[in-house]
Amino acid sequence: MAPVSIQNVLISESVDPRCRAILEENGIRVTEKPSMKRDELIAVIKDYEGLVVRSATKVTADVINAADNLKIIGRAGTGVDNVDVDAATKKGIIVMNTPTGNTISAAELTCALLMSLSRNVPQAAMSMKQGHWDRKKFMGAELYGKVLGIVGLGRIGKEVASRMQSFGMKTIGYDPITPPEVSASWGVEQMSLEQLWPQCDYITVHTPLLPSTVGLLNDETFAKCKKGVKVVNCARGGIIDEAALLRALESGQCGGAGLDVFVEEPPTARSLVEHPNVVCCPHLGASTKEAQARCGQDIALQIVDMMKGKNLVGTVNAQVLASTFSQESQQLVKLGEAVGAVLQSCNASNKPFSHVQITTQGDCMKSSTGYMTSAVMIGLLNHESGCCPNLINVLSLAKEAGIMVNQTHWATDGVTEGVCKVEILANGCSFKAVGSVQGSVPVLLELSNSVFRQPVTLTGNLLFFKAPASPQLLPSVAGLLATGGVEIESFSAPADRSGDLWYCVGVSSLLPDLSALNPVVKDAAQLSL
């Protein structure tokens, strides 16, 4: 990925001082305005290219729409529930989090709640503070030999498993992404949720909040569990159905719950908070000095690495960028954008495009299909009214415009040179261009069946024109350009000499009025690359 220029960053919440220090050490101006209200944020966000938040700042569509210059939203933490990722993607803004910053802290709190549930530690401590000495009331149970079900076997789930195995717990789990052999290597037997529910003495959830995970533990699933099962949620409020949990606690089907998160924070409904078998915290999963320092430092380093084109970590909506850091990939991105721009210019009168077919060939193109498709679409859409495409948002913009985009890769055994072929369909007519990278420079090999004898270098000012082959063509075009104060710097002609063909000249500047060429050409287009 080519370096992204970030001149200034707004930090809208209290983060570790290292965050600001790292950004400023790398030439980024930083403004800290903690506890900003929504209207205040909307009023100032237009002045910043970067925004760093924790969980309190709500980066809504209104905020994003007001952010005319914003390039990145950095969340110093894991979840991005407080960021409208769809709105950011549509505007081409990178959303980034710190996926590992609070892993240990969240895992340790989960373990603390599991232990608190097994031995009634908070209730016993409160009883002592009230002057009581009631040993029988707080009879607990050992964790040793009990079965812990871990739903979500990512970073935090893995750390919880290793810690609770130290207590002699048997760990089983479910995860739709982590391969069973991987979780087995750290002592967790995977199984379906239907198999998991009846076996567990304790259940802890570590999934994101998605439509598929909302209410994952509900009346139906609690009924499938052991009577007296204890549950912990240090992930996101709503994964456990709060009303169903309260009913399970009241009936004894659930023997206790450890909750660090709620659907509404702070919760106004107090039934769960005040239940004697519930141990709860005010969302403290990441509230350790170490986690906050790590998250603040990580988000700053991730922004700096992205800015310098070194690495891309923690992107939520811009995975396509992760493959664009090498010099080779940057050359291919330039090729895709240039080929798309040529087709866009030469077919300006044949719009809108309805279908785009992008075909890549060659060994070097095998891993480029994602970003090449986006790069070509940037070139095709770059001059559309109200359209500011980039690698992040261009495919969603194409979808909104009703353009069907297809991409294929052809394996060519032993052929290492990469070729990108683009064909567009507009008003029932097909137009195509073929390009490649030669000597680190993007070149055009073919334009709508005109195969160039000398590839067109896709840099600088280019004038394309369509005309029948004639010995007088180039002198006539040169004369008309000279009249307009434009000099020819290069010339590429097609190998074929029959019919109407496309030619290209590199020029010193763009022609003020293309209609000046009408006496000698049938069609013309110009662009700067």
Side-chain angles (χ1 to χ4, degrees):
M1 186 182 80
V4 176
S5 174
I6 303 290
Q7 302 288 334
N8 50 29
V9 167
L10 170 65
I11 301 176
S12 66
E13 296 182 57
S14 177
V15 297
D16 188 82
R18 280 293 293 154
C19 179
R20 177 172 190 154
I22 291 169
L23 294 174
E24 290 183 335
E25 286 166 7
N26 287 275
I28 300 174
R29 297 189 303 276
V30 178
T31 302
E32 291 188 84
K33 292 185 177 181
S35 304
M36 296 181 70
K37 294 181 179 178
R38 172 181 171 275
D39 291 343
E40 293 176 314
L41 181 57
I42 289 175
V44 302
I45 194 62
K46 66 181 183 300
D47 299 325
Y48 297 94
E49 294 179 338
L51 172 65
V52 172
V53 302
R54 287 179 58 192
S55 58
T57 302
K58 307 304 178 187
V59 190
T60 61
D62 288 344
V63 173
I64 290 167
N65 290 335
D68 295 336
N69 298 301
L70 199 62
K71 298 177 182 178
I72 184 166
I73 299 168
R75 160 76 164 100
T78 51
V80 288
D81 309 43
N82 56 318
V83 179
D84 190 329
V85 177
D86 289 340
T89 301
K90 184 177 179 180
K91 199 154 184 179
I93 299 169
I94 297 170
V95 179
M96 177 184 288
N97 65 359
T98 53
T100 62
N102 62 6
T103 297
I104 299 301
S105 293
E108 288 182 353
L109 181 61
T110 299
C111 297
L113 290 177
L114 287 167
M115 287 184 278
S116 295
L117 289 174
S118 71
R119 299 302 296 269
N120 302 303
V121 175
Q123 297 93 325
M126 184 59 67
S127 175
M128 286 283 289
K129 291 179 185 295
Q130 293 170 348
H132 305 302
W133 182 267
D134 197 340
R135 299 176 66 191
K136 292 183 179 180
K137 182 177 180 181
F138 300 113
M139 179 67 66
E142 291 183 350
L143 292 172
Y144 181 83
K146 301 301 190 299
V147 177
L148 172 63
I150 305 172
V151 181
L153 297 170
R155 290 175 296 271
I156 297 173
K158 177 184 178 181
E159 296 297 335
V160 170
S162 67
R163 284 156 178 74
M164 299 317 296
Q165 287 162 10
S166 300
F167 283 83
M169 297 192 84
K170 177 185 177 182
T171 50
I172 61 176
Y174 168 79
D175 192 294
I177 298 173
T178 303
E181 59 272 18
V182 172
S183 62
S185 70
W186 24 274
V188 179
E189 178 189 356
Q190 276 205 54
M191 59 189 65
S192 70
L193 290 173
E194 293 300 309
Q195 294 171 306
L196 181 141
W197 303 131
Q199 298 188 44
C200 298
D201 299 297
Y202 295 81
I203 296 171
T204 178
V205 294
H206 300 284
T207 72
L209 185 64
L210 304 169
S212 59
T213 62
V214 171
L216 194 61
L217 272 85
N218 50 46
D219 288 316
E220 183 180 349
T221 49
F222 273 120
K224 296 175 182 178
C225 295
K226 286 183 180 180
K227 188 172 181 63
V229 66
K230 295 179 174 65
V231 298
V232 170
N233 185 5
C234 288
R236 284 290 179 266
I239 297 172
I240 299 177
D241 184 318
E242 292 180 352
L245 173 59
L246 184 59
R247 287 189 288 269
L249 287 164
E250 293 292 339
S251 69
Q253 182 63 21
C254 178
L259 303 176
D260 185 46
V261 290
F262 298 86
V263 172
E264 181 186 14
E265 295 184 354
T268 53
R270 305 290 297 176
S271 300
L272 275 177
V273 174
E274 294 171 359
H275 196 282
N277 292 337
V278 172
V279 178
C280 52
C281 304
H283 203 149
L284 298 179
S287 294
T288 63
K289 294 177 181 178
E290 294 83 358
Q292 290 309 303
R294 202 178 294 121
C295 287
Q297 177 173 301
D298 284 357
I299 197 64
L301 290 172
Q302 288 170 207
I303 290 172
V304 169
D305 282 349
M306 180 205 67
M307 183 182 75
K308 293 183 176 181
K310 288 184 177 180
N311 197 9
L312 194 67
V313 176
T315 56
V316 176
N317 66 337
Q319 291 83 355
V320 67
L321 299 180
S323 302
T324 62
F325 281 89
S326 69
Q327 184 177 0
E328 181 184 70
S329 65
Q330 291 173 28
Q331 292 167 1
L332 292 175
V333 168
K334 290 178 181 177
L335 170 64
E337 291 182 0
V339 170
V342 169
L343 277 173
Q344 192 273 344
S345 297
C346 293
N347 294 281
S349 61
N350 292 289
K351 291 182 181 177
F353 307 135
S354 59
H355 184 272
V356 180
Q357 173 65 49
I358 300 162
T359 304
T360 53
Q361 287 179 255
D363 293 344
C364 70
M365 291 285 200
K366 284 181 181 177
S367 60
S368 70
T369 53
Y371 63 79
M372 279 299 293
T373 300
S374 297
V376 169
M377 294 309 300
I378 290 173
L380 283 169
L381 297 180
N382 207 18
H383 297 288
E384 296 297 309
S385 176
C387 190
C388 297
N390 61 20
L391 290 172
I392 302 162
N393 66 0
V394 70
L395 293 183
S396 62
L397 293 176
K399 186 176 181 180
E400 278 188 10
I403 302 172
M404 183 181 296
V405 182
N406 291 330
Q407 194 283 330
T408 57
H409 178 75
W410 289 356
T412 50
D413 295 339
V415 178
T416 57
E417 182 179 286
V419 173
C420 177
K421 300 180 179 181
V422 182
E423 185 172 4
I424 63 174
L425 189 66
N427 297 327
C429 299
S430 175
F431 307 89
K432 70 175 181 178
V434 180
S436 183
V437 174
Q438 296 182 359
S440 302
V441 177
V443 297
L444 186 68
L445 306 176
E446 180 182 344
L447 179 61
S448 290
N449 298 317
S450 295
V451 180
F452 295 102
R453 282 183 303 211
Q454 181 68 29
V456 177
T457 301
L458 293 173
T459 56
N461 300 312
L462 300 176
L463 171 64
F464 291 89
F465 56 89
K466 188 176 185 181
S470 166
Q472 299 304 314
L473 180 60
L474 183 59
S476 299
V477 169
L480 292 171
L481 291 175
T483 302
V486 177
E487 297 178 0
I488 291 180
E489 297 178 343
S490 63
F491 177 64
S492 295
D496 194 1
R497 305 293 293 172
S498 60
D500 294 334
L501 301 168
W502 282 98
Y503 297 78
C504 181
V505 290
V507 291
S508 58
S509 60
L510 297 182
L511 192 64
D513 183 7
L514 275 178
S515 64
L517 299 177
N518 287 350
V520 295
V521 306
K522 293 189 173 182
D523 199 359
Q526 59 183 349
L527 70 160
S528 292
L529 295 171

